[in-house]
Amino acid sequence: MAEAVVEQKVSVWGGGVSPFGMSWGKFMMWIFLLSDAFTFGGLLSAYGAARMTAGAWPNATEIFNIGLVGAMTFILICSSATMAVAVNAAKRGDHPLVERFLLLTIAGGLTFLGMQAYEWTHFIQEGARLHTNPWGVPAFSASFFIITGFHGGHVTSGVLYLMYVFFKARAERRALEDWQTPLQDRRGRPLYPGARVRVLVLPDRPETVVEKAHPRIGRVVVLLPGKGANNAAMLPADAVEAVEEPPAPPSPVDPHTRAERVENAGLYWHFVDLVWVFIFTLMYLIPPAVSVAAAH
């Protein structure tokens, strides 16, 4: 029995199998998030040390619009919920729902960035700069710009990441729909991508055999032989005939890969949202022990 356990451990750690029970992509995402957590932890620890050593610190509630920041936080948390729905839908294979909730998550991220840009604009108009501000504590504005700006960069990267996942999911859904409901030739045979067909209606070529046809949006794109690599014609499906009964190709979309892509994006987005909760609490809600009067 002991020998079987040892043999199993050797096989698991011998290569070719993830010892953590996850794919390489998900494992690397966790490693990245762990390193990013250390970075944000260092920034927030430095912020706490600056507050404690400064003696007096401006009260954020007298400088910032806490209602606006609270709304930003609420929107970001809601976007985390929509991301969770998208991940769950991806695991179930509900492709249209994945796209809808990815769009809602992207909209939430863009709204957050717009509100943060408004907050930065107001803060700069009050006279805050990276090395100075009207409240007499240079570290106050410096820490605000560095920490919220670093987080805003992560939100921007997250929005771009989600856009990529969205367009990839939409392209895969269309490919899957083409595979599940293929076009039919004039004899009712299915036309899958790459099918070998005979073109029946073509000027100067009453009958031409084309090795590969590509169904697209209700019509068939055929690459004509002897006319160059880029010479193609788009024909209706009833203008071609399959040379032989084509076998159904394997699914063009791997459901596990598709679901994991959305899940990895969700891990990143949830991390960004969680970090903002700490930033919101430490920088906006916790009052200083000794407050500096706000400039008016």
Side-chain angles (χ1 to χ4, degrees), residues 130-166:
L130 188 60
H131 300 294
T132 183
N133 59 74
W135 304 280
V137 184
F140 172 68
S141 55
S143 59
F144 173 82
F145 285 127
I146 292 173
I147 294 177
T148 62
F150 191 58
H151 179 268
H154 278 69
V155 176
T156 303
S157 300
V159 168
L160 295 175
Y161 186 12
L162 291 178
M163 286 181 177
Y164 162 75
V165 174
F166 168 77

Side-chain angles (χ1 to χ4, degrees), residues 4-17:
V5 172
V6 171
E7 188 174 327
Q8 182 181 5
K9 288 182 178 179
V10 171
S11 63
V12 169
W13 290 93
V17 178

